[in-house]
Amino acid sequence: MDADCASLLPGVCAVLAASGRSLPDDTSLEKLLDWFTGLTEAGGSLLEACPCLLGFISTAVLNTALDPGVLSFALRLTGLTAATEDGYEKLQERSVLDQAFQLQRWREAGLWGDPCLRIGWILGLRSMLQHPKALCFFVQSDFIEPLLQLQTDASLFVASAANQMLAHVVLFFQPAPSLGCNGVDQKEAEEHGAAYAAAVAAISEYLKESLVPQKYTALRQSLQTLKLLSLLLAAAGPPLCDRLLQTAGDPLEELVAAGCSQLTLPLMDVLLAACSSGADRRVPDQRAGRLLSSMLDVDKPADLLHAAAAFLRRGHHSDVLNTTRAVRILLLPLHIVTGQTLLGTDATADGRRSSAVEQLKCKTSCISMTCVALTNAPRIALLPCGVLTCPPDSIVTAVLSLLRFCSGVSSSSPPGCSEVCRNVIGSGKVQKCALEALTALDSSPGAKEKTSEVFTVLMQYLENPDSDATVLHKSYQALVKWTSVCTDLSFVTDQLRLDLVELVRKRACDMRWEVRDSTVEFLGHLAGLRVSVATGEEEEEAAAACDALLGARRAAPLLKEALRDTESYVRASAVAALAKSLRHGWQQGAAPSEEEEEIVSRLLEILSQDTEGFPRRAVVQYFTSWFSSCASPTSAPLLMRCARSVLSRGGADLDWEVKVHTLELAQLLLDEAFSGHPGYRRVSDAPHPYAAASGQTRAPRAYPEGAESDLAGAVELGVVAALLSGLVDCDRPVALRACRLLIALRDAVCAPSPGALDATAAVATVSCELPGRGWGEEIRKTLGAKGGEGGGRVSVCKALRSLGLDERLDVLTRSSDHVHNSPLSLLQDILTASAAHTHADTQPGEEVIVDCY
């Protein structure tokens, strides 16, 4: 332990032991525990490292007048200290454990009613239960019964902690197979075994008695018990798993037969956990599998649907029979509502149909059940043919039919189901779920043959004046996704193209900014498909579909107009979309058109004048994307002309993210200029900042010809100025990135020390102009303090050597946390707060401020 911390800790312990109230910063105790936990995990004894803790614990657990928060801390610290056998024995010698965890003391003191104390008691015991001696103490003290009672505590945090604690007791100490005593004394081994057997017996008896609720008020107890059983079965070894299932088998059968809707999902979790293990676990009499099948045959349609969804979610596809049943159950609502033949000739489905129809006649149930079916439809469509009851493309057809019903386009309903179909008309929730399902169904077998029909339905939604903004957004997403899988363009008629263009123009002027934003994003995503062409027939087909639908020529005017939108999100989306739509030309090295030059001019205007940060960030990213996509950036005059303006304006922005994006552009420029130099290392490839010591001596090396011109070019473009400005920026992410880039530049072009290499004489003459105020003044001060230059122009290499970049990187990488977010700072804060409160007792009304670590 640090000597300063060791000297302060006794004083902190004294403050806490004498405190009648919690600290002003109520997270201080939690942070202290974090620190102590870290010391424990690092190895060694906590009491040896912090001997004063023994006195604090002994005093604190006897003082019922302490604040409950401090007492809770003391209980948790007691458990942490007793987590090793050495610490456990030292505490037992002082009878501390009996005093700390004796419930009767806390009840008589009136403190047990505070959930803070109860959670401290539970977590303290859990920390302690890391070795057999602690288990024996736990069992002999009869702590299992109160823990079982705490499972249904009024505090959800306490109840959850009790549940996790019970699972820990059973799972952590379960005997490892074939290890015998493993060097442990035979008598001790027998005691430990007896303690564990007693704990498992008590918990098993509880499971048996509390799984089935005797009355409605006991429902929460059954729920918690099912959660506990699920935790146990998921991690138990074969012998323990068999025992648990034998114990819980009859109550589970009773629960399945009772058909309690509130317990459907936790009951499925238990049964699936019991059936999910490998071959090393034997399920007695296949009871769990039989119960699982029973859950897929309950009478209540809604419960049945949730059970089937839970089964399918867990991926038990090797169980073909139950997987097929789950598929039929989940497709039944779509089968009824849409009239599509999704269940084949299955007779059992007809038996469930009448009850499902009755349930679907209730609007709330209809919407809920339909959404569950839709959510699982994409997963079902990808299942093997052996478990499907219909071709996968029939599911796509059903979803499309449902979308038509929802929008009111289709007026014909399946025979006898008109009342059901009316429930989904105009339902935004069903529309959103159906559109999400349709988007995910694009890759299902046979889906591509439905592309024309999909486009027709999506166009109807996009044209519908009653569609809300979220529905339109999801319609756009689906359209882009299906465009990406187009293989047959014969359906793209001139009329469809004209309709889409007109529709997009109309939506780009919508009164709702969310719709305008979604429309602009759609144009960008569609353009992005065109750019994603690399190799392969499918990518080329997607690009062709994109061009056939809405080429860049039609999108550009709309995006240019969106640059002047009143909403900043729309302006930012327009900038991003323009970058995607023009990237293909950048990749091909095409000369910019007059229209592109006009766009660039507008973007620079946004960067310097827009009052919102989102568009300005997007503008800098636009130029970064242009540079990284360009076949030969230096042969793009417009881009290189703009680079200096972007670096200058972006580096002086008030938004730190704009400045970070500006440094990304600076990095690209550095990579382009210096990638051929032997000493240059891309920042992304740099070693971890802690790997190199500050002031490390670099071996002499030959610098290639042209280093002087490359460095001069970087100065001329404003790269060096942008990096120096970023280095002294008040935002740490900006300064950190700039520092790393400057180190990369220094290592590429500057000798380790002045005059070390004659070959660098020309490079040493390259200078950079510093502004008279702002960052230039900061750099001059630093250089002056280091004995370097301090004038208006400075030698770049001398500046890079004199700025102490390695030391700066070390500090920036650690950030302020190495000073403020430390155990020493925490201990100082607690002592300062205590002194301030003591002083405040004589001067009421003064605020005590604690530096929160």
Side-chain angles (χ1 to χ4, degrees):
M1 177 186 286
D2 179 82
D4 291 333
C5 290
S7 66
L8 292 179
L9 189 56
V12 170
C13 289
V15 166
L16 295 178
S19 174
R21 58 190 167 195
S22 62
L23 296 171
D25 171 18
D26 57 4
T27 64
S28 296
L29 297 177
E30 197 68 38
K31 293 162 192 169
L32 267 179
L33 283 170
D34 289 343
W35 178 42
F36 291 139
T37 302
L39 292 175
T40 302
E41 292 173 348
S45 168
L46 188 59
L47 290 180
E48 287 180 7
C50 317
C52 60
L53 292 181
L54 184 59
F56 165 73
I57 292 171
S58 303
T59 303
V61 297
L62 293 174
N63 188 358
T64 55
L66 285 178
D67 180 88
V70 176
L71 287 172
S72 179
F73 165 78
L75 289 174
R76 294 178 63 182
L77 181 59
T78 301
L80 187 63
T81 305
T84 62
E85 292 195 21
D86 178 64
Y88 172 85
E89 289 171 355
K90 288 182 178 178
L91 291 175
Q92 278 289 61
E93 288 172 5
R94 295 197 177 195
S95 302
V96 172
L97 295 178
D98 291 323
Q99 295 290 332
F101 294 108
Q102 188 182 52
L103 266 70
Q104 192 60 31
R105 287 185 61 247
W106 303 120
R107 289 191 175 114
E108 290 174 355
L111 293 169
W112 189 246
D114 194 311
C116 182
L117 187 79
R118 298 199 299 277
I119 197 90
W121 185 82
I122 295 170
L123 295 178
L125 283 175
R126 178 166 181 176
S127 295
M128 180 178 67
L129 283 169
Q130 305 297 321
H131 51 85
K133 290 183 179 179
L135 176 64
C136 291
F137 168 78
F138 174 79
V139 173
Q140 290 165 6
S141 301
D142 294 325
F143 288 150
I144 293 179
E145 185 60 33
L147 262 177
L148 293 170
Q149 294 172 0
L150 288 172
Q151 264 209 309
T152 53
D153 194 88
S155 166
L156 294 178
F157 292 105
V158 173
S160 176
N163 213 316
Q164 296 287 335
M165 168 66 173
L166 288 166
H168 172 78
V169 172
V170 176
L171 296 173
F172 183 81
F173 292 100
Q174 62 178 317
S178 306
L179 289 183
C181 296
N182 200 25
V184 179
D185 179 81
Q186 180 66 29
K187 183 179 179 181
E188 284 188 8
E190 290 175 357
E191 290 177 356
H192 302 158
Y196 179 71
V200 173
I203 293 173
S204 297
E205 186 64 24
Y206 175 81
L207 292 173
K208 186 175 182 179
E209 293 178 355
S210 59
L211 272 171
V212 181
Q214 301 303 316
K215 52 185 177 179
Y216 183 77
T217 54
L219 194 62
R220 186 158 180 250
Q221 184 177 27
S222 293
L223 179 63
Q224 287 294 93
T225 307
L226 284 169
K227 287 181 180 178
L228 173 60
L229 184 55
S230 179
L231 286 173
L232 294 173
L233 291 174
L240 177 59
C241 180
D242 288 352
R243 176 172 179 176
L244 291 171
L245 286 173
Q246 287 173 351
T247 300
D250 290 340
L252 287 174
E253 292 228 22
E254 193 174 341
L255 271 182
V256 171
C260 182
S261 299
Q262 295 94 326
L263 300 178
T264 297
L265 291 180
L267 184 53
M268 282 296 294
D269 285 340
V270 167
L271 297 176
L272 289 167
C275 297
S276 65
S277 64
D280 62 333
R281 182 184 295 170
R282 179 181 59 84
V283 180
D285 304 321
Q286 298 296 312
R287 178 182 271 187
R290 181 168 54 79
L291 291 177
L292 186 61
S293 296
S294 298
M295 287 296 292
L296 297 176
D297 199 29
V298 298
D299 294 331
K300 298 177 184 177
D303 292 353
L304 190 61
L305 206 66
H306 287 299
F311 177 86
L312 210 61
R313 213 166 35 239
R314 292 290 288 264
H316 288 272
H317 301 154
S318 58
D319 185 350
V320 176
L321 178 60
N322 280 331
T323 301
T324 304
R325 295 174 69 191
V327 167
R328 295 185 188 282
I329 292 165
L330 288 165
L331 291 181
L332 183 57
L334 290 179
H335 174 86
I336 294 171
V337 175
T338 66
Q340 298 295 318
T341 306
L342 302 178
L343 302 179
T345 57
D346 181 40
T348 59
D350 294 332
R352 295 197 192 101
R353 179 186 171 92
S354 57
S355 60
V357 168
E358 287 303 311
Q359 192 83 23
L360 290 168
K361 286 180 180 178
C362 169
K363 186 168 185 175
T364 303
S365 297
C366 180
I367 291 173
S368 174
M369 291 172 66
T370 304
C371 287
V372 172
L374 287 168
T375 301
N376 287 276
R379 186 181 288 111
I380 292 172
L382 295 175
L383 289 173
C385 296
V387 298
L388 283 176
T389 55
C390 63
D393 65 318
S394 295
I395 298 175
V396 178
T397 302
V399 174
L400 292 172
S401 298
L402 182 60
L403 283 168
R404 291 192 187 97
F405 283 131
C406 287
S407 64
V409 172
S410 178
S411 57
S412 60
S413 58
C417 293
S418 58
E419 188 176 350
V420 170
C421 291
R422 283 198 296 269
N423 287 333
V424 299
I425 295 175
S427 170
K429 186 174 182 181
V430 174
Q431 288 176 344
K432 293 164 193 172
C433 277
L435 287 167
E436 288 171 358
L438 184 63
T439 303
L441 282 165
D442 73 302
S443 57
S444 60
K448 293 179 182 179
E449 284 69 30
K450 299 289 181 180
T451 304
S452 178
E453 192 178 351
V454 169
F455 270 69
T456 300
V457 172
L458 292 176
M459 287 293 291
Q460 289 168 351
Y461 265 75
L462 291 169
E463 291 169 345
N464 189 345
D466 296 327
S467 294
D468 71 28
T470 307
V471 168
L472 288 171
H473 178 69
K474 293 185 180 297
S475 299
Y476 279 133
Q477 287 181 320
L479 193 59
V480 170
K481 195 75 179 293
W482 279 80
T483 300
S484 68
V485 298
C486 279
T487 54
D488 182 7
L489 303 178
S490 60
F491 72 93
V492 183
T493 62
D494 289 341
Q495 188 59 51
L496 174 59
R497 190 181 301 110
L498 290 172
D499 288 346
L500 183 59
V501 171
E502 184 59 32
L503 183 151
V504 170
R505 283 175 180 161
K506 183 179 74 172
R507 290 301 186 188
C509 301
D510 198 286
M511 292 182 63
R512 297 164 292 180
W513 74 263
E514 296 93 342
V515 175
R516 301 197 302 276
D517 190 52
S518 295
T519 303
V520 169
E521 282 186 350
F522 165 69
L523 293 174
H525 290 316
L526 209 57
L529 292 178
R530 179 68 182 90
V531 178
S532 65
V533 176
T535 57
E537 187 178 340
E538 289 193 3
E539 286 84 354
E540 292 177 0
E541 288 165 348
C546 171
D547 283 344
L549 281 173
L550 196 69
R553 181 176 57 82
R554 299 183 184 92
L558 295 174
L559 296 177
K560 283 169 57 183
E561 186 63 30
L563 291 176
R564 302 184 183 277
D565 197 277
T566 56
E567 175 56 51
S568 63
Y569 289 106
V570 180
R571 298 196 297 275
S573 295
V575 175
L578 278 168
K580 291 178 181 177
S581 65
L582 297 175
R583 195 174 299 162
H584 183 64
W586 299 340
Q587 291 174 342
Q588 302 301 317
S593 63
E594 184 178 335
E595 182 180 48
E596 287 180 68
E597 294 196 11
E598 181 186 342
I599 290 171
V600 167
S601 177
R602 172 62 185 143
L603 294 181
L604 291 175
E605 186 180 318
I606 289 174
L607 183 57
S608 60
Q609 297 179 13
D610 202 299
T611 58
E612 298 288 340
F614 296 109
R616 301 199 306 274
R617 292 173 206 162
V619 167
V620 180
Q621 288 174 301
Y622 174 98
F623 287 99
T624 302
S625 176
W626 185 0
F627 194 96
S628 58
S629 301
C630 200
S632 177
T634 54
S635 63
L638 179 59
L639 173 58
M640 300 311 290
R641 285 202 310 270
C642 294
R644 184 176 182 85
S645 295
V646 175
L647 291 172
S648 174
R649 298 177 189 183
D653 202 278
L654 296 177
D655 186 300
W656 72 268
E657 291 188 63
V658 173
K659 290 181 284 192
V660 167
H661 292 315
T662 300
L663 291 177
E664 290 173 5
L665 177 60
Q667 179 176 350
L668 289 174
L669 289 163
L670 281 181
D671 291 345
E672 177 74 14
F674 295 101
S675 57
H677 293 240
Y680 183 75
R681 183 192 292 271
R682 293 176 185 267
V683 169
S684 58
D685 299 330
H688 191 278
Y690 289 127
S694 299
Q696 182 179 2
T697 302
R698 295 179 296 279
R701 57 178 176 270
Y703 290 88
E705 294 183 10
E708 174 195 4
S709 60
D710 289 337
L711 182 57
V715 172
E716 180 63 26
L717 276 174
V719 174
V720 174
L723 298 182
L724 292 173
S725 170
L727 183 68
V728 294
D729 196 272
C730 59
D731 289 303
R732 176 177 165 267
V734 179
L736 180 59
R737 194 179 193 105
C739 188
R740 285 175 171 158
L741 291 171
L742 285 168
I743 289 174
L745 179 62
R746 179 198 66 189
D747 292 349
V749 299
C750 299
S753 59
L757 292 173
D758 294 337
T760 63
V763 176
T765 63
V766 179
S767 61
C768 175
E769 180 74 28
L770 298 181
R773 305 180 69 179
W775 67 266
E777 191 174 4
E778 288 287 322
I779 293 293
R780 278 195 299 273
K781 284 181 181 177
T782 304
L783 293 177
K786 296 276 186 178
E789 299 182 43
R793 294 195 72 85
V794 297
S795 165
V796 175
C797 279
K798 286 186 178 180
L800 292 176
R801 286 195 298 264
S802 304
L803 285 171
L805 296 175
D806 296 304
E807 293 84 352
R808 279 178 179 265
L809 181 63
D810 185 52
V811 173
L812 287 167
T813 303
R814 289 187 290 158
S815 78
S816 60
D817 283 358
H818 74 284
V819 176
H820 302 294
N821 190 4
S822 66
L824 180 60
S825 175
L826 175 62
L827 297 175
Q828 290 171 338
D829 283 348
I830 293 174
L831 293 173
T832 302
S834 173
H837 265 283
T838 303
H839 183 63
D841 287 340
T842 60
Q843 299 183 26
E846 290 190 7
E847 182 184 6
V848 178
I849 300 174
V850 179
D851 174 22
C852 181
Y853 126 67

PDB file of all heavy atoms in Angstrom, residues 708 757-766:
ATOM      1  N   GLU A 708      12.271  17.793 -46.140  1.00  0.00           N
ATOM      2  CA  GLU A 708      12.101  19.238 -45.972  1.00  0.00           C
ATOM      3  C   GLU A 708      10.851  19.723 -46.693  1.00  0.00           C
ATOM      4  O   GLU A 708      10.024  20.457 -46.124  1.00  0.00           O
ATOM      5  CB  GLU A 708      13.332  19.967 -46.527  1.00  0.00           C
ATOM      6  CG  GLU A 708      13.181  21.486 -46.518  1.00  0.00           C
ATOM      7  CD  GLU A 708      14.216  22.176 -47.381  1.00  0.00           C
ATOM      8  OE1 GLU A 708      15.005  21.481 -48.048  1.00  0.00           O
ATOM      9  OE2 GLU A 708      14.220  23.404 -47.393  1.00  0.00           O
ATOM     10  N   LEU A 757      22.376  15.264 -36.508  1.00  0.00           N
ATOM     11  CA  LEU A 757      22.550  14.742 -37.859  1.00  0.00           C
ATOM     12  C   LEU A 757      22.635  15.898 -38.845  1.00  0.00           C
ATOM     13  O   LEU A 757      21.718  16.711 -38.940  1.00  0.00           O
ATOM     14  CB  LEU A 757      21.367  13.825 -38.238  1.00  0.00           C
ATOM     15  CG  LEU A 757      21.257  12.488 -37.486  1.00  0.00           C
ATOM     16  CD1 LEU A 757      19.965  11.807 -37.848  1.00  0.00           C
ATOM     17  CD2 LEU A 757      22.434  11.591 -37.830  1.00  0.00           C
ATOM     18  N   ASP A 758      23.730  15.942 -39.601  1.00  0.00           N
ATOM     19  CA  ASP A 758      23.876  16.994 -40.607  1.00  0.00           C
ATOM     20  C   ASP A 758      22.816  16.877 -41.689  1.00  0.00           C
ATOM     21  O   ASP A 758      22.431  17.861 -42.314  1.00  0.00           O
ATOM     22  CB  ASP A 758      25.268  16.922 -41.244  1.00  0.00           C
ATOM     23  CG  ASP A 758      26.361  17.258 -40.232  1.00  0.00           C
ATOM     24  OD1 ASP A 758      26.029  17.943 -39.245  1.00  0.00           O
ATOM     25  OD2 ASP A 758      27.506  16.829 -40.432  1.00  0.00           O
ATOM     26  N   ALA A 759      22.333  15.637 -41.934  1.00  0.00           N
ATOM     27  CA  ALA A 759      21.365  15.426 -43.010  1.00  0.00           C
ATOM     28  C   ALA A 759      20.047  16.138 -42.744  1.00  0.00           C
ATOM     29  O   ALA A 759      19.247  16.335 -43.642  1.00  0.00           O
ATOM     30  CB  ALA A 759      21.107  13.933 -43.194  1.00  0.00           C
ATOM     31  N   THR A 760      19.817  16.535 -41.497  1.00  0.00           N
ATOM     32  CA  THR A 760      18.536  17.176 -41.173  1.00  0.00           C
ATOM     33  C   THR A 760      18.647  18.692 -41.162  1.00  0.00           C
ATOM     34  O   THR A 760      17.718  19.371 -40.734  1.00  0.00           O
ATOM     35  CB  THR A 760      18.051  16.705 -39.786  1.00  0.00           C
ATOM     36  OG1 THR A 760      18.986  17.135 -38.806  1.00  0.00           O
ATOM     37  CG2 THR A 760      17.887  15.203 -39.742  1.00  0.00           C
ATOM     38  N   ALA A 761      19.763  19.220 -41.599  1.00  0.00           N
ATOM     39  CA  ALA A 761      19.954  20.669 -41.555  1.00  0.00           C
ATOM     40  C   ALA A 761      18.887  21.397 -42.345  1.00  0.00           C
ATOM     41  O   ALA A 761      18.360  22.430 -41.912  1.00  0.00           O
ATOM     42  CB  ALA A 761      21.347  21.016 -42.081  1.00  0.00           C
ATOM     43  N   ALA A 762      18.547  20.859 -43.521  1.00  0.00           N
ATOM     44  CA  ALA A 762      17.530  21.514 -44.345  1.00  0.00           C
ATOM     45  C   ALA A 762      16.168  21.462 -43.668  1.00  0.00           C
ATOM     46  O   ALA A 762      15.401  22.435 -43.699  1.00  0.00           O
ATOM     47  CB  ALA A 762      17.462  20.843 -45.725  1.00  0.00           C
ATOM     48  N   VAL A 763      15.867  20.325 -43.052  1.00  0.00           N
ATOM     49  CA  VAL A 763      14.577  20.184 -42.354  1.00  0.00           C
ATOM     50  C   VAL A 763      14.488  21.186 -41.209  1.00  0.00           C
ATOM     51  O   VAL A 763      13.425  21.745 -40.929  1.00  0.00           O
ATOM     52  CB  VAL A 763      14.405  18.744 -41.828  1.00  0.00           C
ATOM     53  CG1 VAL A 763      13.124  18.618 -41.014  1.00  0.00           C
ATOM     54  CG2 VAL A 763      14.409  17.754 -42.984  1.00  0.00           C
ATOM     55  N   ALA A 764      15.612  21.438 -40.545  1.00  0.00           N
ATOM     56  CA  ALA A 764      15.622  22.325 -39.384  1.00  0.00           C
ATOM     57  C   ALA A 764      15.272  23.763 -39.748  1.00  0.00           C
ATOM     58  O   ALA A 764      14.905  24.553 -38.873  1.00  0.00           O
ATOM     59  CB  ALA A 764      16.984  22.278 -38.702  1.00  0.00           C
ATOM     60  N   THR A 765      15.387  24.105 -41.021  1.00  0.00           N
ATOM     61  CA  THR A 765      15.082  25.484 -41.422  1.00  0.00           C
ATOM     62  C   THR A 765      13.591  25.724 -41.616  1.00  0.00           C
ATOM     63  O   THR A 765      13.160  26.868 -41.759  1.00  0.00           O
ATOM     64  CB  THR A 765      15.797  25.810 -42.743  1.00  0.00           C
ATOM     65  OG1 THR A 765      15.299  24.960 -43.788  1.00  0.00           O
ATOM     66  CG2 THR A 765      17.308  25.628 -42.605  1.00  0.00           C
ATOM     67  N   VAL A 766      12.796  24.668 -41.651  1.00  0.00           N
ATOM     68  CA  VAL A 766      11.347  24.824 -41.862  1.00  0.00           C
ATOM     69  C   VAL A 766      10.734  25.425 -40.607  1.00  0.00           C
ATOM     70  O   VAL A 766      10.918  24.916 -39.493  1.00  0.00           O
ATOM     71  CB  VAL A 766      10.681  23.475 -42.184  1.00  0.00           C
ATOM     72  CG1 VAL A 766       9.175  23.656 -42.369  1.00  0.00           C
ATOM     73  CG2 VAL A 766      11.310  22.862 -43.423  1.00  0.00           C
TER      74      VAL A 766
END
